[in-house]
Amino acid sequence: MPNLYRDIFDGLHVGITVWRLENPEDPTSFTTLAMNRAALEATRMTLTIEQMIGKRLVDMIPGLRATGFLEQYADILKRGENKDLGEVHYPGDAVLPEATFYSQIHVLSKDSIFLEFTNIAEKKTMEEKLKTSVDELTRMNVLMMDRELKMVELKKENQLLKGENDIPALQG
């Protein structure tokens, strides 16, 4: 049965990392207990899962110290309440490249949590490209509408001028 659970864990398409806070007074004492393949793929880290297990997060991903994430995770653990973090941007470092994730924290026990996350950087890039395209189409639509309105105006003016030229000259 243990292999079944590991297979399920590794087969998930969402990244999962399980951490334990070794010292409740020190948010930098989070150590990695487990991590699935999707977590490694989503983060595009230069480390392996084996290199992460049993190690402090800040020793493996030094850039975490400056983000405030560990303090936030420790606070969530202390309150004992799961939290939807929404979109979280990581600025990137030598180990973990810059990325935007959709994340949720789940409390497992008094000293352990797990982070569930999906890398949405590609989605964000696609949304930006789509917005740029929509903005360009809107701009083109305005230009085309302005052109059409000007054409209608010129057509009316042309008809008016033709109408004036069609008036017979007064003889006298």
Side-chain angles (χ1 to χ4, degrees), residues 25 29 31 38 44 46 49 67 72 90 97 109 130 141 162:
E25 303 303 316
S29 71
T31 59
R44 301 180 323 268
T46 58
I49 292 173
T67 64
Q72 183 180 18
Y90 185 76
S109 66
L130 181 60
N141 187 38
K162 276 184 177 180

Side-chain angles (χ1 to χ4, degrees), residues 139-153:
R139 190 181 72 75
M140 290 300 292
N141 187 38
V142 167
L143 289 173
M144 297 300 277
M145 290 299 294
D146 285 349
R147 180 184 160 274
E148 287 300 314
L149 291 172
K150 185 66 175 173
M151 293 300 289
V152 167
E153 187 180 305

Side-chain angles (χ1 to χ4, degrees), residues 19-39:
W19 300 317
R20 178 175 40 237
L21 185 61
E22 301 295 335
N23 176 355
E25 303 303 316
D26 180 10
T28 67
S29 71
F30 274 109
T31 59
T32 304
L33 299 179
M35 172 185 261
N36 69 355
R37 284 193 293 256

Side-chain angles (χ1 to χ4, degrees), residues 87-146:
E87 289 185 16
V88 176
H89 181 77
Y90 185 76
D93 59 36
V95 177
L96 181 57
E98 179 179 6
T100 302
F101 302 96
Y102 182 82
S103 306
Q104 296 178 324
I105 291 280
H106 304 274
V107 177
L108 292 174
S109 66
K110 64 180 179 64
D111 65 353
S112 299
I113 58 174
F114 78 87
L115 177 68
E116 170 188 353
F117 62 96
T118 305
N119 188 330
I120 59 171
E122 288 179 13
K123 177 183 173 222
K124 297 295 283 178
T125 300
M126 292 303 291
E127 285 175 353
E128 289 170 12
K129 286 180 181 178
L130 181 60
K131 183 185 180 320
T132 300
S133 294
V134 167
D135 290 347
E136 182 64 19
L137 286 171
T138 301
R139 190 181 72 75
M140 290 300 292
N141 187 38
V142 167
L143 289 173
M144 297 300 277
M145 290 299 294
D146 285 349

Side-chain angles (χ1 to χ4, degrees), residues 62-76:
L64 279 175
R65 286 182 189 270
T67 64
F69 294 153
L70 298 175
E71 291 79 6
Q72 183 180 18
Y73 301 161
D75 184 57
I76 292 167

Side-chain angles (χ1 to χ4, degrees), residues 160-172:
L160 183 63
L161 289 172
K162 276 184 177 180
E164 288 176 6
N165 290 338
D166 289 345
I167 298 174
L170 294 176
Q171 298 196 1

